[in-house]
Amino acid sequence: MARHLITSALPYINGIKHLGNMVGSMLPADVYARYLRQRGHDVLYICATDEHGTPAELAAKEAGQSVAEFCGEQHGKQKAIYDGFGLEFDHFGRSSSPENVELTQHFARKLHENGFIEERAIRQVYSNADERFLPDRYIVGTCPHCGYDKARGDQCENCTRVLDPTDLIDARSAISGSSDLEVRETKHLFLLQSKLQHEVEGWLEGNGSKEWPVLASSIAHKWLTEGLQDRAITRDLDWGVPVPADVWPELAAEGKVFYVWFDAPIEYIGATKEWADVAPENRDWKSWWYEADDVRYTEFMAKDNVPFHSVMFPATQLGTREPWKKVDFLKAFNWLNYYGGKFSTSQKRGIFTDAALELLPADYWRYFLMAYAPESDDTSFTWELFSASVNKDLADTLGNFVNRVLSFSRKRFGDEVPAGAEAGAAEQKLGVEIAGLLAEYEGHMEALQFRKAAASLRALWSAGNSYLEEKAPWLEIKTDKDAAALTLRTAMNLIHLYAVVSEPFIPASAKAMRSAFTLADDTAVWVSADEAKTLAAVPAGTPFTVPPVLFAKITEEDLESYRERFGGSEG
């Protein structure tokens, strides 16, 4: 059985993330990791805050803090929110960690030894007003490709094209806003990606990338078709992984640091070493990354991160001439929009994760985001769609089923699961239907098709409601008490099954459902399709309680207040 290594794109340290960021990386990774753990796999889910680069410096400056102080504070805030969303990282690290500094410098040394790093004199933008060279993200202007007027000097947020600062129209300093810029000569290190082009192509061809989502594979192959370019991997910043003085003394003396796109992917390995360093006596980080032939590595990210992970980081790994584990499956997502316009951290547009948790419990958001995940195309968040999904799927289909089954049984049979008659034709038919739907659900989860998995999960919930309506225990009990007891016992076993298979999507609610029954083991150990046919996990005589309402409906008054606070249209 393969071990499963899972990473999600590192969230930037510069402020709280929005829901689009959550659904494009961390949440689906958590859903998949939870599912694999339930199936008995050895899983390591790693993530971290991305703390280098200009966003950290700019945000710290705006907050009036040192970069180190700002990053430490923001890491804690982000981790608290992800805990609130129920994300079960095995480790949530920091790219500024000593482990990542050590590994980033190791990678650079190896690349240099193998002839893939070169020192070059380049002409770079210098701000006279700020009296410093400006790294790419310190320069903003109009994108020459799409006309977006807030494009950064490294990448346009709107069209995702990678840019050079000199490409921008009407460029200005992100620090002072000054357009008094000039180009001066300075020296930087370049990763010679052009020399690794054919190796990356060969690796991509042989690593199963044809099985990746079309979105991921098409972006990767587009980059290779256009040809890999040599790219600078150092910048003039006060904060970052220092260039090692034993290899490049002159650049080290000038305070050059490695740039974020080079060191951030290495932090996946760095964070794994952080995880191991917490308990080195029983954790071996290298076994997950170095000569790790028994590891299946899955990455999760939004489409703008695909080039860095499908081409650039593999090039970095290949260039070391060391057997580092490379991605096996890259799950990429399109954008989640907000009423047709983009969520944006920089423009504070849309719903941010801290505000989301203030409004409603995490499971409401987890379910909706995965049920409408932007897998095949961009999707749009609207309050109307969100409330309809919560009210129909969670409150009516699942929550109401749980409440009315348990409440009615307690009222008519007491606080233990009733015995009643033996299972009949209706129960056998239900078992076959449940087994088929569960097999569908498993297939979609194995294929990382989350919208389809959510639809199968919803169908499982609906099957219980259909059974209950068909058997109508509130009528059965008037003429055949044993028949009504059978119906309720079967429905209670459905509740327990739902508590197990819903765990990846709605873990807190799933735990509440499991906790309703006094069983020796209330863990969410997976139930096979064959086991599900019998619906006998909760035997007669098992004590139970009626949990509080699992999902409260979102009212029109609620909707109005949400629209007023966050806006209900693109404008």
Side-chain angles (χ1 to χ4, degrees):
M1 185 179 290
R3 294 183 294 155
H4 286 267
L5 174 64
I6 297 172
T7 63
S8 49
L10 311 187
Y12 269 126
I13 198 69
N14 63 329
I16 303 304
K17 304 298 110 179
H18 53 68
L19 291 182
N21 183 280
M22 175 67 69
V23 73
S25 57
M26 290 173 284
L27 179 55
D30 179 72
V31 170
Y32 185 55
R34 284 176 176 274
Y35 169 76
L36 291 175
R37 290 188 192 110
Q38 283 185 275
R39 300 303 302 269
H41 293 282
D42 189 3
V43 177
L44 185 64
Y45 176 23
I46 294 293
C47 194
T49 39
D50 183 356
E51 301 188 8
H52 294 142
T54 53
E57 286 199 5
L58 290 172
K61 184 175 185 293
E62 186 177 335
Q65 296 176 295
S66 70
V67 189
E69 180 185 11
F70 173 82
C71 288
E73 182 180 293
Q74 291 299 316
H75 175 83
K77 287 182 178 180
Q78 289 201 27
K79 180 61 166 62
I81 289 170
Y82 304 146
D83 288 345
F85 268 90
L87 303 184
E88 286 192 335
F89 306 112
D90 286 287
H91 186 74
F92 186 69
R94 303 180 60 181
S95 69
S96 62
S97 69
E99 289 86 349
N100 196 43
V101 170
E102 175 189 340
L103 279 161
T104 298
Q105 292 180 338
H106 170 81
F107 269 70
R109 287 188 179 96
K110 287 296 179 183
L111 288 162
H112 175 66
E113 287 173 15
N114 297 325
F116 296 118
I117 287 183
E118 182 176 283
E119 185 177 327
R120 293 181 181 176
I122 64 169
R123 295 175 65 75
Q124 190 175 346
V125 177
Y126 185 89
S127 169
N128 289 304
D130 301 306
E131 298 183 327
R132 61 178 294 176
F133 284 103
L134 295 181
D136 300 349
R137 283 185 174 232
Y138 276 50
I139 307 163
V140 294
T142 300
C143 174
H145 302 289
C146 70
Y148 181 60
D149 65 357
K150 297 182 181 65
R152 302 186 304 259
D154 62 342
Q155 187 176 32
C156 175
E157 184 185 59
N158 186 58
C159 70
T160 76
R161 292 288 289 268
V162 173
L163 301 171
D164 187 273
T166 55
D167 295 334
L168 294 173
I169 301 165
D170 299 325
R172 58 195 180 277
S173 166
I175 303 172
S176 61
S178 171
S179 57
D180 183 12
L181 309 176
E182 62 181 70
V183 177
R184 296 185 182 181
E185 187 173 282
T186 185
K187 288 183 179 179
H188 281 288
L189 298 179
F190 278 70
L191 179 60
L192 305 184
Q193 294 185 135
S194 60
K195 293 174 69 172
L196 290 159
Q197 165 103 21
H198 296 307
E199 290 184 47
V200 175
E201 287 174 338
W203 165 77
L204 201 62
E205 187 66 27
N207 78 332
S209 63
K210 292 176 182 176
E211 304 302 318
W212 294 0
V214 173
L215 178 63
S217 60
S218 62
I219 291 174
H221 287 97
K222 178 177 180 288
W223 270 66
L224 288 171
T225 300
E226 293 178 355
L228 293 188
Q229 304 298 311
D230 301 339
R231 287 184 64 84
I233 58 171
T234 54
R235 294 293 188 273
D236 295 282
L237 291 171
D238 297 327
W239 174 254
V241 176
V243 168
D246 58 319
V247 186
W248 297 283
E250 181 184 343
L251 297 186
E254 293 174 3
K256 308 282 186 185
V257 299
F258 289 108
Y259 198 42
V260 62
W261 77 262
F262 181 73
D263 82 82
I266 296 171
E267 167 58 7
Y268 295 134
I269 308 173
T272 309
K273 191 171 187 302
E274 294 170 46
W275 163 79
D277 286 348
V278 173
E281 66 282 355
N282 56 20
R283 294 177 180 175
D284 178 10
W285 69 272
K286 266 199 170 182
S287 74
W288 290 92
W289 283 102
Y290 203 86
E291 297 180 338
D293 294 334
D294 65 331
V295 173
R296 178 168 173 79
Y297 178 21
T298 307
E299 295 179 340
F300 291 81
M301 69 200 62
K303 58 187 175 184
D304 57 331
N305 271 313
V306 170
F308 301 100
H309 292 75
S310 64
V311 175
M312 294 185 181
F313 185 42
T316 298
Q317 292 176 299
L318 288 164
T320 65
R321 299 296 186 247
E322 295 178 323
W324 295 105
K325 179 64 185 176
K326 289 169 280 295
V327 62
D328 293 301
F329 192 88
L330 196 158
K331 177 66 175 179
F333 290 84
N334 288 283
W335 302 129
L336 175 70
N337 293 322
Y338 184 76
Y339 284 90
K342 289 194 173 183
F343 282 83
S344 172
T345 301
S346 59
Q347 297 177 48
K348 296 182 172 59
R349 171 179 166 72
I351 309 158
F352 288 73
T353 49
D354 55 348
L357 292 178
E358 289 172 13
L359 293 181
L360 293 164
D363 281 358
Y364 291 55
W365 302 105
R366 287 179 64 106
Y367 174 76
F368 173 81
L369 290 171
M370 297 315 300
Y372 294 91
E375 291 177 302
S376 58
D377 50 24
D378 291 350
T379 59
S380 190
F381 178 96
T382 70
W383 287 110
E384 295 76 17
L385 180 63
F386 174 69
S387 64
S389 176
V390 167
N391 291 348
K392 181 181 178 184
D393 298 346
L394 295 180
D396 286 343
T397 305
L398 178 60
N400 186 49
F401 178 81
V402 172
N403 185 264
R404 67 175 175 158
V405 167
L406 296 178
S407 296
F408 184 72
S409 188
R410 184 178 63 179
K411 180 179 178 182
R412 303 310 295 262
F413 293 99
D415 294 329
E416 292 183 354
V417 176
E422 293 296 315
E427 286 70 39
Q428 290 171 0
K429 176 187 171 186
L430 174 66
V432 171
E433 181 185 7
I434 290 295
L437 289 170
L438 182 54
E440 277 184 22
Y441 178 53
E442 291 174 353
H444 295 320
M445 290 294 279
E446 296 288 346
L448 284 79
Q449 293 289 331
F450 295 106
R451 289 184 71 152
K452 290 179 179 179
S456 294
L457 184 60
R458 189 163 54 238
L460 279 163
W461 300 339
S462 295
N465 282 276
S466 297
Y467 169 77
L468 204 63
E469 291 301 318
E470 178 189 340
K471 293 296 295 291
W474 49 89
L475 297 178
E476 282 182 312
I477 200 164
K478 295 177 181 179
T479 57
D480 190 339
K481 193 171 183 179
D482 281 347
L486 164 64
T487 300
L488 292 168
R489 187 180 78 240
T490 303
M492 288 187 193
N493 272 278
L494 280 175
I495 291 171
H496 186 266
L497 176 70
Y498 296 161
V500 172
V501 300
S502 305
E503 203 274 345
F505 284 80
I506 48 172
S509 306
K511 184 176 182 180
M513 285 189 277
R514 291 196 305 277
S515 299
F517 303 101
T518 305
L519 295 168
D521 183 8
D522 72 341
T523 56
V525 177
W526 199 255
V527 179
S528 71
D530 283 341
E531 290 170 332
K533 277 184 183 178
T534 61
L535 294 170
V538 183
T542 301
F544 73 90
T545 58
V546 182
V549 173
L550 290 176
F551 304 100
K553 283 196 170 185
I554 297 172
T555 66
E556 276 301 321
E557 291 76 15
D558 295 329
L559 270 182
E560 189 57 39
S561 69
Y562 300 159
R563 292 190 201 101
E564 184 177 343
R565 177 175 172 183
F566 298 99
S569 67
E570 188 173 354

